[in-house]
């Protein structure tokens, strides 16, 4: 753990001491439900005994760089701002969700609210460590005020006429008075004869006012009220399984493009690469942590009638088919979504470098959780694109299964991968391959969101 900053607390900062002193409780809540990359955004505060100073620490390794006011730093801050805002939104929604389910006390809910608000205070400083933002100073100070638009200041050449304004207002008032008070008198004088009309002159007959026919607005019938119902009937609800790759290739950062990762991976196979360079290519957010954030973000959008299965793929320890490297974590109902999130967050990437992933075995386990004959079945494979490590052919497995499971579909999210060994699984089942290059958790969330459109909540309105 390294120290990033040291603050001397002033009287104006005392309101934030309660929040800082309870950070351990806040961190415990966040780590139970959110991936480490979200929690790492907040530097850990350590307040001294008399509450006069606070030091800020992080578990991230690397050279920290404080983003200042230079143009380059401001450009970098603009690039990471969406990531910071996304993390704050995730914590906000987690607070609402847990509070609604009675899993947080009102005091704990207030702490999470103060944490999100504290990340927007004017004492916040942002450090970059291996392209990962870490905030110090949160919870202190005051919220940054929104900029107020400033009206244009008149030039000296145009100021000379301002003294005329009171006179113009007075003149306008006199004109209004003359109009509203004199007009009735004029009208009254106009209808009083000044002298008797001549005898041989017939008086003018007063013309009766012409009544205009009343025009009734056409009657418009109110549109019938829409009646909406859920599109998905529980007994006919589609089924879904997430096959989550946790092989060693998922340690690669998403901050680097496909070509650079491919070149580095080839070097790693044939030569000794310095540990510092390896750590840099494994820095967060990596494929694994970003996938966890993305999946947890879209779980709430999955229709509540749909149960979700979870299969974890790890790197093969050997190439023997009998050695299991795929784990079936079970099927989770809508009421167990929080448990599913915890299970996803607890998964860890394998350290060993055996090439490939147990895709064949993982698909076998996923197929036991879905029907695909009478009910729609979606298998979502989140992967780094590598092939099967037991040298079995997963494409042949799906080719056989699709003959008796016509409603089976496999969608693949391939994260910045130069390989396409599993593309056949999607093409054989009429599924889709989502392999657009991403460099942030937000972009990966959007990609996975597209891959699960068919099982998200929908309504039919009649």
């Amino acid at each position: 753990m390294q120290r990033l900053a040291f603050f001397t607390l002033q009287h104006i900062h005392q309101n934030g001491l309660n929040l800082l002193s309870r950070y351990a409780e806040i961190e415990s809540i966040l780590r139970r439900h959110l991936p480490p990359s979200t929690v790492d955004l907040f530097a850990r505060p350590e307040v001294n005994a008399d509450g006069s100073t606070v030091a800020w620490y992080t578990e991230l390794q690397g050279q920290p760089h404080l983003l200042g006011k230079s143009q380059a730093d401001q450009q970098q801050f603009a690039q990471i701002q969406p990531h910071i805002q996304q993390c704050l939104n995730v914590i906000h929604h987690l607070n609402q969700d847990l509070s609604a389910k009675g899993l947080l006390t009102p005091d704990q809910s207030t702490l999470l609210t103060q944490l999100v608000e504290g990340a927007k205070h004017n004492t916040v400083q942002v450090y970059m460590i291996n392209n990962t933002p870490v905030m110090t100073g949160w919870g202190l100070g005051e919220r940054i005020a929104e900029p107020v638009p400033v009206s244009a200041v008149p030039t000296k050449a145009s100021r000379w006429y301002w003294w005329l304004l009171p006179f113009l207002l007075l003149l306008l008032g006199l004109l209004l008075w003359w109009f509203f008070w004199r007009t009735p008198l004029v009208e009254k004088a106009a209808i009083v004869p000044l002298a008797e009309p001549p005898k041989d002159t017939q008086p003018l007959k007063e013309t009766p006012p012409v009544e205009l026919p009343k025009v009734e607005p056409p009657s418009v019938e109110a549109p019938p009220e829409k009646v909406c119902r859920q599109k998905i009937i529980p007994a006919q609800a589609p089924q879904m399984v997430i096959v989550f790759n946790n092989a060693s290739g998922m340690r690669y950062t998403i901050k680097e493009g496909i070509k650079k990762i491919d070149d580095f991976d080839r070097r790693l196979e044939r030569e000794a690469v310095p540990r510092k360079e390896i750590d840099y290519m494994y820095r967060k957010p990596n494929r694994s942590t970003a996938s966890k954030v993305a999946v947890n973000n879209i779980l709430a959008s999955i229709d509540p009638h749909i149960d979700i299965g979870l299969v974890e793929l790890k790197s093969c320890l050997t190439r023997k088919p009998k050695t299991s490297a795929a784990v079936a974590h079970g099927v989770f109902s809508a009421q167990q979504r929080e448990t599913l999130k915890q299970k996803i967050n607890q998964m860890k990437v394998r350290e060993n470098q055996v090439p490939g992933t147990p895709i064949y075995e993982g698909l076998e386990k996923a197929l036991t959780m879905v029907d695909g004959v009478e009910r729609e079945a979606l298998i979502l494979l989140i992967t780094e694109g590598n092939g099967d490590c037991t040298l079995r052919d997963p494409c042949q497995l799906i080719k056989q299964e699709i003959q008796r499971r016509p409603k089976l579909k496999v969608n693949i999210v391939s994260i910045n991968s130069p390989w396409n060994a599993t593309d056949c699984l999607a093409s054989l089942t009429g599924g889709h391959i989502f392999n657009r290059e991403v460099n942030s958790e937000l972009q990966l969330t959007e990609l996975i969101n597209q891959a699960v459109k068919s099982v998200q909540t929908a309504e039919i309105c009649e």
Side-chain angles (χ1 to χ4, degrees):
M1 183 177 294
Q2 63 173 321
R3 190 172 79 174
L4 296 177
F6 186 86
F7 280 36
T8 299
L9 298 178
Q10 303 174 10
H11 177 71
I12 59 174
H13 297 150
Q14 299 304 306
N15 291 336
L17 280 180
N18 179 60
L19 179 66
L20 301 187
S21 64
R22 299 183 64 180
Y23 176 72
E25 183 179 359
I26 296 172
E27 183 183 27
S28 176
I29 295 171
L30 297 183
R31 290 201 182 277
R32 280 200 304 269
H33 303 281
L34 300 178
S37 59
T38 302
V39 186
D40 290 340
L41 176 63
F42 297 87
R44 181 193 304 276
E46 291 191 7
V47 183
N48 69 343
D50 61 3
S52 61
T53 62
V54 56
W56 302 89
Y57 293 87
T58 180
E59 295 180 354
L60 298 178
Q61 299 300 314
Q63 182 65 36
H65 170 69
L66 174 62
L67 295 184
K69 296 184 178 180
S70 69
Q71 184 176 359
D73 284 353
Q74 290 300 305
Q75 288 177 349
Q76 189 171 18
F77 180 78
Q79 293 174 356
I80 65 168
Q81 183 60 29
H83 165 74
I84 294 176
Q85 188 58 51
Q86 181 195 8
C87 291
L88 298 181
N89 291 342
V90 168
I91 296 173
H92 172 71
H93 292 307
L94 174 69
N95 188 2
Q96 290 183 323
D97 191 29
L98 296 182
S99 298
K101 296 177 180 178
L103 300 178
L104 287 182
T105 65
D107 190 34
Q108 290 172 330
S109 177
T110 300
L111 286 176
L112 293 185
T113 299
Q114 292 175 343
L115 178 70
V116 173
E117 287 297 313
K120 304 170 185 176
H121 284 183
N122 57 6
T123 47
V124 169
Q125 295 178 333
V126 179
Y127 287 80
M128 297 301 296
I129 304 176
N130 292 333
N131 288 334
T132 300
V134 182
M135 293 190 300
T136 65
W138 53 264
L140 304 175
E142 299 176 347
R143 180 164 181 155
I144 300 174
E146 296 293 333
V148 179
V150 180
S151 58
V153 179
T155 62
K156 292 182 178 180
S158 61
R159 289 178 180 172
W160 64 271
Y161 60 78
W162 283 105
W163 64 273
L164 286 175
L165 183 59
F167 297 98
L168 293 174
L169 291 175
L170 178 61
L171 180 60
L172 178 62
L174 291 172
L175 289 173
L176 291 174
W177 175 87
W178 183 85
F179 178 80
F180 285 108
W181 287 93
R182 191 175 183 281
T183 300
L185 297 176
V186 174
E187 291 175 352
K188 185 176 180 180
I191 61 174
V192 176
L194 297 176
E196 287 188 14
K199 292 182 179 181
D200 57 346
T201 304
Q202 296 295 325
L204 295 174
K205 293 183 179 180
E206 185 178 354
T207 304
V210 178
E211 293 187 3
L212 297 175
K214 294 183 179 180
V215 179
E216 296 291 339
S219 60
V220 179
E221 294 184 4
E225 185 177 353
K226 288 185 177 181
V227 178
C228 299
R229 59 183 174 85
Q230 287 293 326
K231 181 180 179 181
I232 295 179
I233 302 172
Q236 303 173 359
Q239 298 167 308
M240 177 181 179
V241 179
I242 302 175
V243 180
F244 204 108
N245 191 337
N246 269 325
S248 57
M250 294 292 281
R251 288 184 293 174
Y252 284 126
T253 180
I254 61 172
K255 293 294 184 180
E256 302 295 342
I258 294 175
K259 186 179 186 308
K260 189 169 182 179
I261 289 179
D262 188 29
D263 292 342
F264 177 81
D265 193 68
R266 295 177 187 277
R267 283 183 55 210
L268 204 60
E269 291 179 356
R270 67 176 183 265
E271 62 184 77
V273 178
R275 186 69 217 181
K276 184 177 181 180
E277 188 175 349
I278 294 175
D279 290 341
Y280 183 76
M281 293 300 292
Y282 287 169
R283 70 189 186 277
K284 296 178 181 178
N286 57 30
R287 290 168 171 171
S288 175
T289 58
S291 298
K292 291 177 181 180
V293 170
V295 171
N296 284 336
N297 284 343
I298 60 96
L299 285 181
S301 69
I302 305 299
D303 192 280
H305 295 123
I306 296 177
D307 296 336
I308 304 175
L310 178 64
V311 175
E312 179 182 5
L313 307 182
K314 300 182 178 182
S315 295
C316 295
L317 293 175
T318 73
R319 294 188 182 277
K320 297 178 181 179
K322 292 183 180 180
T323 303
S324 177
V327 179
H329 290 288
V331 179
F332 301 81
S333 65
Q335 292 72 30
Q336 297 173 309
R337 295 278 168 90
E338 287 301 319
T339 305
L340 175 58
K341 287 183 180 180
Q342 294 176 21
K343 187 68 67 175
I344 291 173
N345 292 338
Q346 291 166 0
M347 295 189 302
K348 296 182 179 180
V349 176
R350 274 283 174 91
E351 294 290 334
N352 55 291
Q353 293 288 338
V354 175
T357 308
I359 299 170
Y360 190 100
E361 183 185 357
L363 288 174
E364 283 184 323
K365 294 181 182 294
L367 289 168
T368 64
M369 302 178 180
V370 296
D371 175 42
V373 180
E374 299 294 334
R375 297 171 67 174
E376 302 287 341
L378 173 64
I379 296 178
L380 174 64
L381 174 60
I382 302 174
T383 181
E384 30 76 288
N386 220 324
D388 189 272
C389 54
T390 61
L391 304 182
R392 288 181 287 183
D393 187 0
C395 299
Q396 187 62 33
L397 172 64
I398 290 298
K399 192 173 183 178
Q400 295 172 357
E401 290 293 327
I402 199 65
Q403 293 178 0
R404 66 183 189 89
R405 301 189 197 222
K407 295 186 176 181
L408 173 67
K409 180 181 292 185
V410 179
N411 283 351
I412 300 173
V413 175
S414 186
I415 309 172
N416 293 1
S417 174
W419 309 290
N420 56 0
T422 55
D423 287 2
C424 59
L425 306 178
S427 59
L428 286 170
T429 61
H432 298 281
I433 303 164
F434 301 88
N435 58 357
R436 186 180 75 245
E437 189 168 300
V438 299
N439 57 25
S440 70
E441 293 167 342
L442 180 61
Q443 290 179 341
L444 184 55
T445 299
E446 293 174 353
L447 208 61
I448 294 180
N449 191 58
Q450 295 175 28
V452 298
K453 283 290 185 185
S454 62
V455 290
Q456 289 178 325
T457 300
E459 288 184 335
I460 294 178
C461 295
E462 300 171 337

